[in-house]
Amino acid sequence: MDIATPSPDHILPATTDITPRSTVLLKRASTTDAQTPLAQQPLLRNRLTGLLPVHPQQQLLTTVGIYPDGTDNIAAVILMFDYCDVLDGQHQNRETVGMASSTHEASASALGYTFQAQLALLELLRGQEDRPDGAISLELHDDVAWEEDGRPVELLQVKHHIRSVRSLGDKDDDVWRTIQSWMDTHAPGDEYGPMLTLITTQETRPGTAMAALKAPNPAPAQALDLLIAAAQESEARATKDARAAFLALQPAQRAVFVQRMRVIDGSPSIDDLDTQVRVKLRAALPDGHADSFMWQLWAWWYEQTVDMLQKRHTSVSVTRLMQRISRIRDDYTSDRLPTLVAREDFPQEAETERADACFVHQLLWVGASRQLNKAMVDYYRAYTQTVAWLEDDLVGLDELARFEDNLADEWQREFDWMLDDLGEDATDREQEQAGKALLRKTLDQTRYRIREAYDEAFFSRGKHHELADRGRVGWHPDFEERVKNLIRAAHA
């Protein structure tokens, strides 16, 4: 797809660390309250830290941009798209940041890239019956391409227009940019070359070559005559070279070239793609948890798009997609749960915010200072995971309470054994060492699980830290008195 190179102040800083899963978390947060100004969304603002340098919220749109020819463009694009969603209600007050048409251009490019990535997933789902052995690639052979045995069999040029009222005609830039791309990529006269498909959100204009090439019943001979006429009659400077190259082809080459072309118009816009994907997945979506399921699928897919752009792998097969869908679906059975929060999702500012938390003091009392960062990550993940499950009605409060009661009961048994082994005259050093041993033994405990087949260790560890934060469990023999002192100090 075609994008204009943004001005320097619209390029994402090269030092910015973007992780696909963090990007998707940001998207999930933004879509929950898209009309609320960013300043009033502390959760979303927190999730930006670590992804981008700190800027006032008014500067976000000018800070985020697109790598026009780099490897991280999809990740950068998704971020731009999310900021545009969140800041949608603030676009009227442009004078405070000096933004002009360049912001709109970057935003349109961002939407185009996001549309391209999302459409590729829809295409992969569409092809599961006709091309069960096929695979989809991004920005390798074309915007999107179907492969079989590593060979491109269909090239897809993707054109997205926001609320466009214009129809697609034979002299339009989209048409000739697409034709130029196809001529540059593969020999036009190769009758065994890949099929060439233009997918556009616009409707084709009646009586044009684009209308004649519409699937499923194209008329390539008619389209050829109309394209030749358009190439000869148009005076547009932007398409001059493409039209000249097309007319310079031998007649037989042009005929074969157009014979391989197809047009799919009226494609769903970016606002409708998620709905279209859900329709294809209707049988797989878990009852009552479709949003959570789709969030996991999109998170995985965005990771695949970044991997493809960075050439970690070149394509994603239909088989691999269906395996991932089955794996996600399995998390919604009665004995399992989906993991929605990754280790990378821990925001850097959370470490500062929780530095004086009760569970942190509890760790320090037994000399476990080297474990602080890991403990904070486990605490954050378990807490955030619990909130996400409750929001999606994946667990009930009674189920969580029962799990916590089991953890506390098991801890109490081990705590009592520790006290018996220490005796009444244990030194401070002996108490600290015994508490550290109890901490280690407790965090390694995996006997109790919130669901029988949910065995993610971070959740049990994080829940123990939650209980320690409430003072319900502890590691030092005198933890109860020390917790009371903390509370007194906080109130004072």
Side-chain angles (χ1 to χ4, degrees):
M1 63 175 287
D2 307 303
I3 62 170
T5 302
S7 58
D9 63 339
H10 282 77
I11 300 295
L12 195 65
T15 57
T16 300
D17 178 26
I18 299 176
T19 60
R21 192 177 293 274
S22 297
T23 298
V24 177
L25 265 177
L26 177 61
K27 182 176 180 61
R28 186 173 190 243
S30 69
T31 55
T32 59
D33 197 5
Q35 300 306 316
T36 301
L38 185 62
Q40 299 174 24
Q41 296 193 59
L43 176 61
L44 181 55
R45 287 186 61 80
N46 288 344
R47 283 172 172 170
L48 299 182
T49 305
L51 294 178
L52 295 172
V54 177
H55 296 280
Q57 65 268 22
Q58 294 94 338
Q59 299 294 329
L60 286 174
L61 280 174
T62 58
T63 300
V64 183
I66 305 162
Y67 287 109
D69 55 0
T71 57
D72 288 321
N73 49 355
I74 283 289
V77 161
I78 294 169
L79 284 169
M80 166 65 91
F81 174 56
D82 292 332
Y83 293 134
C84 291
D85 270 353
V86 176
L87 299 177
D88 188 52
Q90 302 181 31
H91 287 179
Q92 300 301 319
N93 191 17
R94 299 288 179 170
E95 62 273 12
T96 61
V97 289
M99 290 183 288
S101 61
S102 57
T103 296
H104 292 286
E105 292 170 3
S107 175
S109 298
L111 286 172
Y113 267 123
T114 308
F115 176 76
Q116 175 181 326
Q118 293 184 356
L119 183 71
L121 177 60
L122 180 59
E123 271 294 308
L124 205 51
L125 288 168
R126 285 171 173 168
Q128 61 181 304
E129 295 181 2
D130 298 335
R131 290 169 165 160
D133 298 324
I136 282 281
S137 67
L138 281 176
E139 297 290 350
L140 182 62
H141 309 287
D142 209 328
D143 291 349
V144 180
W146 273 102
E147 295 181 359
E148 291 181 5
D149 298 323
R151 180 179 62 88
V153 294
E154 183 178 3
L155 308 184
L156 284 74
Q157 275 278 312
V158 179
K159 305 297 180 184
H160 181 265
H161 295 271
I162 306 172
R163 293 183 293 274
S164 175
V165 295
R166 291 186 57 215
S167 56
L168 182 66
D170 295 342
K171 298 178 182 179
D172 289 2
D173 286 359
D174 278 359
V175 172
W176 291 102
R177 285 176 181 171
T178 295
I179 290 175
Q180 182 71 70
S181 176
W182 286 337
M183 287 190 292
D184 291 343
T185 305
H186 288 271
D190 181 5
E191 61 181 315
Y192 300 106
M195 296 298 298
L196 307 170
T197 303
L198 170 62
I199 299 179
T200 177
T201 53
Q202 291 180 303
E203 299 287 344
T204 57
R205 196 171 303 154
T208 62
M210 295 300 98
L213 289 172
K214 283 178 59 172
N217 299 306
Q222 177 186 355
L224 175 60
D225 292 339
L226 291 169
L227 277 176
I228 292 173
Q232 293 171 336
E233 295 169 4
S234 176
E235 297 179 356
R237 291 183 180 181
T239 64
K240 179 180 179 181
D241 291 343
R243 290 183 288 106
F246 178 75
L247 292 173
L249 295 174
Q250 294 296 321
Q253 289 180 312
R254 277 201 302 266
V256 170
F257 189 32
V258 177
Q259 179 77 31
R260 290 159 50 204
M261 295 182 188
R262 298 289 184 276
V263 173
I264 299 176
D265 67 342
S267 173
S269 71
I270 195 165
D271 293 331
D272 302 320
L273 280 176
D274 181 75
T275 300
Q276 294 293 316
V277 170
R278 290 179 188 234
V279 169
K280 288 293 181 183
L281 291 171
R282 187 182 295 113
L285 294 178
D287 292 340
H289 307 301
D291 289 345
S292 177
F293 179 98
M294 288 303 302
W295 179 82
Q296 284 186 272
L297 180 60
W298 282 119
W300 174 80
W301 182 248
Y302 286 136
E303 289 177 358
Q304 306 315 301
T305 62
V306 173
D307 284 349
M308 283 189 279
L309 289 169
Q310 293 181 332
K311 303 301 183 285
R312 295 192 187 109
H313 55 73
T314 59
S315 61
V316 178
S317 67
V318 171
T319 300
R320 188 172 172 208
L321 172 62
M322 301 317 295
Q323 288 173 343
R324 172 56 61 169
I325 289 170
S326 296
R327 196 170 302 140
I328 296 173
R329 184 66 177 83
D330 288 344
D331 285 340
Y332 293 85
T333 55
S334 60
D335 61 345
R336 296 178 63 93
L337 283 166
T339 296
L340 304 174
V341 185
R343 196 164 38 241
E344 304 84 53
D345 297 330
F346 178 67
Q348 293 179 353
E349 76 275 11
E351 189 166 351
T352 302
E353 292 174 357
R354 303 304 299 175
D356 199 39
C358 182
F359 80 92
V360 172
H361 284 281
Q362 292 239 43
L363 293 169
L364 294 174
W365 293 337
V366 295
S369 57
R370 292 185 179 180
Q371 314 304 319
L372 289 183
N373 180 263
K374 298 291 187 185
M376 287 183 179
V377 172
D378 288 339
Y379 173 93
Y380 173 85
R381 288 184 71 193
Y383 177 83
T384 309
Q385 182 68 86
T386 301
V387 171
W389 284 341
L390 289 171
E391 286 178 347
D392 294 333
D393 293 323
L394 289 166
V395 297
L397 290 173
D398 56 340
E399 188 175 12
L400 284 168
R402 187 164 54 251
F403 175 63
E404 292 181 359
D405 287 345
N406 286 335
L407 295 182
D409 180 72
E410 190 69 13
W411 162 85
Q412 184 67 63
R413 295 169 189 270
E414 296 297 335
F415 186 77
D416 291 343
W417 280 114
M418 179 188 71
L419 294 181
D420 287 344
D421 291 342
L422 276 174
E424 297 292 334
D425 54 351
T427 65
D428 290 344
R429 178 61 176 166
E430 288 171 337
Q431 289 184 338
E432 180 181 304
Q433 289 179 330
K436 184 185 288 187
L438 173 63
L439 169 67
R440 185 170 184 173
K441 185 174 184 178
T442 302
L443 296 187
D444 286 342
Q445 185 275 123
T446 58
R447 176 183 174 188
Y448 291 108
R449 301 174 180 177
I450 188 166
R451 293 275 175 87
E452 182 179 350
Y454 187 76
D455 57 358
E456 291 279 7
F458 83 86
F459 190 72
S460 176
R461 292 194 298 257
K463 276 297 176 183
H464 277 108
H465 293 309
E466 274 193 54
L467 294 172
D469 202 52
R470 298 181 221 154
R472 188 174 174 185
V473 308
W475 323 117
H476 193 279
D478 294 331
F479 84 92
E480 290 178 305
E481 185 60 33
R482 295 184 179 214
V483 169
K484 290 178 183 177
N485 291 337
L486 274 180
I487 295 173
R488 293 191 193 102
H491 287 167

